[in-house]
C-alpha cells in the first residue's frame, strides 16, 4: 500500500532537479515517477518549494548525559529536524562518560533512544586509555573513532601524542576501522600562545594554519605506513589543501570535511568580543574561505557538516569577550543548509551541488547508502525547502537548548518548511520517532 506521494516541479534526483512524483511505501521510496502520473491525493509542493533528500550530519556534539545543560538529544534532534537534518552521528565527547568503551556507549544509547526526533548513530573515542581496546566498540556498531591531537578542552577526553596516533592507526588498520581526527599540532599551538583578549585576530594568531598542516602531515604519514583510513575533521586551513590533494592522488584513504561557519563567516567580519564566533580551529580570512570553496568544488574537501558544539551562555560568554577564555564551539545545527546556500548563490554555485555535500556525500562517508538521496529503495527521509525565501535568524526559532548562535540576526536565503522521517512529517510537538543506528556491516 502506498503511504504517501509527494509531487513537485523540482525534485533533486541523481544530482539534478526535475519534475517528479515520489512514491513512499513502508517508510521507503518505492518509486520516483513522472509528475503527470501523480494521483489526486498526492502532496503537491508550492511553486517556490523543492524536494530534497534528508541531510546527514556526521559531526554533532549532543553532550548528553553529563552535560545535558549544554545540549541534549531532544533539543539537538529537534534543531536537526528544523534544519532538514534527518540523520546525525553523535561525537564521543563532551558527554560524561565519553563514549570510549561499550558501557559508555550503552549509557549514551539509553539517553538517546526515547528522545530523538531523527535517526542517531555514534562515534567512539580513541584516547590514551582506550588504545588497544577499540575493537569491542567497533563490534558494537560505532561508525569510527575520534581523536584529538591537541587538548580537547575537557579533561575526560585527553588527546593522543604522536606515538598514540600511530598506535591508533595501527590498531584500526587491523580491522579497517576509521579514525577521525581533530588535527591541530600541540607544539605549534604552544609556540603561538598569546595573552588572548577581545581582539579576534589575536585569537586566530594563537591557532595558525601551521597547526593544522603539521597535524595533517602526521596523519598522512601514518596512513602511508599502515594503509588505514582517516578523516580530517572541520578543516579550516587552506594551506593544508595541497597536502590533502597529494595524499588522495597517492591513493591514501584520506577524506576531509569543512563546516558552514568557515564557508560563511570570515575573520574581517567578526567584532571584538563576539565570542559566539569562537571555534577551534578558528574562522580565518576571506582568501582562506575562497580556497575552501574551491576545494569543495574540485572534490578535495568531501563534505560539509555542522560541528554543532554548543554550551551554556555562561561558558560561551565567559571572560567578558576574551576569546581565550570563552568556550570554543559554534551552535549551528539548525542553519547549515540555508547559511551555505546563501553564500553559494553569491558565488554562482548551484543548490544541487550544495545539497550533495550535506546529504549523499556525508551519508556515503559513513556507509549509510540507504539515505541522503531520492531514489527507489532509499529511506523516505525528505525535506521541503524554499530556496528563495528570505530568512532572518531570530532567537525565537532556535530549537537547540541554549539560545546562543553565531547565526543569530544574520539574513539568510532559504527556509526548511517541512521534514519527513521515513515518509512521515516530523512533529516536534509529538513523540520522537528517530531510530538508533549502527554501522552497516
Amino acid at each position: 500500500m502506498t503511504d504517501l506521494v509527494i509531487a513537485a516541479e523540482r525534485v533533486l534526483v541523481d544530482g539534478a532537479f526535475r519534475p517528479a512524483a515520489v512514491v513512499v511505501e513502508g517508510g521507503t521510496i518505492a518509486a520516483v515517477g513522472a509528475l503527470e502520473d501523480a494521483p489526486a491525493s498526492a502532496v503537491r509542493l508550492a511553486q517556490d518549494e523543492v524536494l530534497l533528500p534528508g541531510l546527514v550530519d556526521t559531526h554533532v556534539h549532543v553532550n548528553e548525559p553529563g552535560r545535558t545543560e549544554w545540549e541534549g538529544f531532544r533539543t539537538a534532534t529537534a534543531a536537526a529536524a528544523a534544519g532538514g537534518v534527518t540523520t546525525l552521528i553523535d561525537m564521543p565527547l563532551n558527554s560524561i562518560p565519553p563514549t570510549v568503551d561499550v558501557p559508555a556507549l550503552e549509557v549514551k544509547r539509553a539517553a538517546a533512544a526515547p528522545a530523538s526526533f531523527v535517526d542517531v548513530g555514534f562515534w567512539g573515542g580513541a584516547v590514551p586509555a582506550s588504545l588497544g581496546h577499540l575493537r569491542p566498540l567497533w563490534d558494537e556498531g560505532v561508525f569510527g573513532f575520534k581523536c584529538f591531537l591537541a587538548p580537547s578542552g575537557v579533561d575526560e577526553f585527553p588527546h593522543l601524542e604522536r606515538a598514540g596516533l600511530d598506535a591508533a592507526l595501527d590498531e584500526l588498520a587491523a580491522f579497517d576501522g576509521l579514525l577521525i581526527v581533530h588535527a591541530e599540532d600541540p607544539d605549534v599551538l604552544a609556540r603561538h600562545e598569546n595573552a588572548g583578549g577581545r581582539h579576534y585576530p589575536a585569537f586566530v594568531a594563537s591557532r595558525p594554519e601551521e597547526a593544522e598542516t603539521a597535524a595533517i602531515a602526521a596523519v598522512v604519514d601514518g596512513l602511508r605506513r599502515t594503509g588505514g583510513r582517516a578523516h580530517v575533521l572541520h578543516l579550516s586551513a587552506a594551506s593544508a589543501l595541497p597536502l590533502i590533494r597529494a595524499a588522495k592522488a597517492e591513493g591514501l584513504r584520506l577524506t576531509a570535511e569543512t563546516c558552514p561557519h568557515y564557508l560563511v563567516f570570515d575573520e574581517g567580519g567578526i567584532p571584538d568580543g563576539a565570542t559566539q564566533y569562537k571555534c577551534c580551529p578558528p574562522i580565518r580570512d576571506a582568501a582562506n574561505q575562497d580556497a575552501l570553496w574551491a576545494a569543495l568544488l574540485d572534490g578535495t574537501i568531501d563534505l560539509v557538516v555542522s560541528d554543532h558544539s554548543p554550551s551554556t551562555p555562561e561558558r560561551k560568554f565567559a571572560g567578558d569577550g576574551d576569546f581565550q577564555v570563552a568556550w570554543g564551539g559554534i551552535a549551528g545545527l539548525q542553519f547549515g543548509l540555508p547559511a551555505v546556500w546563501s553564500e553559494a548563490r553569491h558565488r554562482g554555485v548551484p543548490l544541487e551541488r550544495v545539497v550533495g555535500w550535506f546529504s549523499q556525500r556525508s551519508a556515503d562517508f559513513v556507509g549509510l547508502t540507504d539515505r541522503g538521496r531520492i531514489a527507489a529503495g532509499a529511506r523516505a527521509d525528505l525535506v521541503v525547502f524554499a530556496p528563495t525565501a528570505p530568512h532572518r535568524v531570530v532567537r525565537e526559532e532556535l530549537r537547540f537548548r541554549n539560545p546562543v548562535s553565531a547565526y543569530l540576526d544574520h539574513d539568510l536565503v532559504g527556509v526548511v518548511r517541512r521534514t519527513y522521517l521515513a515518509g512521515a512529517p516530523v512533529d516536534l510537538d509529538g513523540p520522537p520517532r528517530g531510530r538508533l543506528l549502527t554501522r552497516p556491516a
Side-chain angles (χ1 to χ4, degrees):
M1 296 289 293
T2 298
D3 302 322
L4 172 72
V5 178
I6 303 178
E9 291 288 343
R10 290 180 292 167
V11 179
L12 187 59
V13 181
D14 294 330
F17 284 106
R18 64 175 175 86
V22 178
V23 181
V24 177
E25 297 177 0
T28 298
I29 298 172
V32 180
L35 179 59
E36 57 267 26
D37 293 337
S41 60
V43 174
R44 294 182 182 269
L45 301 196
Q47 284 297 112
D48 69 334
E49 295 174 339
V50 300
L51 188 65
L52 307 177
L55 310 184
V56 177
D57 192 335
T58 60
H59 193 149
V60 179
H61 294 268
V62 176
N63 306 336
E64 184 178 5
R67 291 192 175 96
T68 310
E69 70 275 14
W70 295 16
E71 186 68 281
F73 282 101
R74 178 172 287 271
T75 49
T77 59
V85 175
T86 52
T87 300
L88 65 82
I89 313 295
D90 174 59
M91 282 291 166
L93 76 157
N94 302 326
S95 56
I96 301 174
T99 315
V100 296
D101 54 34
V102 172
L105 176 62
E106 291 172 347
V107 169
K108 178 81 79 164
R109 284 174 168 164
S116 297
F117 286 101
V118 303
D119 290 354
V120 176
F122 303 94
W123 295 108
V127 298
S130 68
L131 296 181
H133 310 284
L134 299 178
R135 183 63 185 260
L137 266 178
W138 182 255
D139 291 343
E140 280 295 315
V142 299
F143 285 79
F145 299 86
K146 180 176 186 176
C147 72
F148 277 73
L149 302 186
S152 71
V154 292
D155 291 341
E156 69 276 1
F157 201 94
H159 70 284
L160 299 181
E161 303 286 354
R162 177 62 185 268
L165 169 65
D166 288 341
L169 287 169
D170 285 340
E171 183 176 356
L172 294 179
F175 53 86
D176 205 31
L178 173 66
L179 188 68
I180 64 172
V181 184
H182 181 121
E184 289 184 287
D185 184 281
D187 294 333
V188 175
L189 296 179
R191 290 199 300 271
H192 290 83
E193 188 174 355
N194 61 36
R198 294 173 54 85
H199 191 45
Y200 182 71
F203 172 65
V204 177
S206 74
R207 303 189 88 98
E209 292 187 57
E210 180 191 353
E212 291 185 73
T213 304
I216 292 168
V219 173
V220 169
D221 287 345
L223 293 183
R224 187 176 291 120
R225 181 177 55 80
T226 64
R229 295 192 292 149
H231 177 75
V232 176
L233 297 166
H234 45 51
L235 180 72
S236 88
S239 60
L241 292 170
L243 180 61
I244 295 170
R245 286 192 185 101
K248 290 186 169 192
E250 187 181 335
L252 301 181
R253 294 190 292 167
L254 181 69
T255 52
E257 68 186 34
T258 194
C259 304
H261 39 274
Y262 302 129
L263 301 171
V264 173
F265 304 124
D266 68 77
E267 178 179 339
I270 297 178
D272 286 350
T275 52
Q276 65 268 32
Y277 294 95
K278 179 184 175 180
C279 56
C280 299
I283 295 166
R284 304 189 190 277
D285 63 25
N288 186 89
Q289 183 184 90
D290 290 343
L292 295 178
W293 274 96
L296 273 168
L297 290 168
D298 72 19
T300 303
I301 299 175
D302 298 274
L303 52 131
V304 180
V305 296
S306 69
D307 188 12
H308 179 69
S309 185
S311 68
T312 61
E314 292 76 19
R315 290 189 65 90
K316 192 60 186 163
F317 298 117
D320 191 26
D322 187 330
F323 281 95
Q324 292 291 2
V325 176
W327 174 256
I330 288 179
L333 176 60
Q334 192 171 337
F335 304 110
L337 176 60
V340 175
W341 166 231
S342 298
E343 179 66 21
R345 292 174 83 235
H346 293 306
R347 294 173 178 268
V349 178
L351 179 60
E352 50 266 44
R353 292 295 304 273
V354 173
V355 174
W357 300 328
F358 281 96
S359 57
Q360 185 166 345
R361 297 298 294 272
S362 49
D364 290 352
F365 163 59
V366 288
L368 293 173
T369 55
D370 65 337
R371 63 197 67 210
R373 66 212 75 208
I374 298 177
R379 285 262 299 174
D381 297 342
L382 302 164
V383 177
V384 178
F385 185 63
T388 60
H391 182 182
R392 170 164 276 245
V393 180
V394 295
R395 182 186 178 100
E396 291 73 21
E397 71 179 296
L398 301 184
R399 288 283 186 170
F400 34 79
R401 183 172 296 276
N402 292 290
V404 177
S405 176
Y407 295 96
L408 267 177
D409 300 322
H410 282 276
D411 288 311
L412 308 178
V413 177
V415 174
V416 172
R417 291 191 174 154
R418 194 158 61 255
T419 299
Y420 291 84
L421 184 71
V426 177
D427 178 8
L428 297 180
D429 296 318
R433 297 187 298 107
R435 303 181 309 163
L436 302 189
L437 304 176
T438 56
R439 186 191 73 260

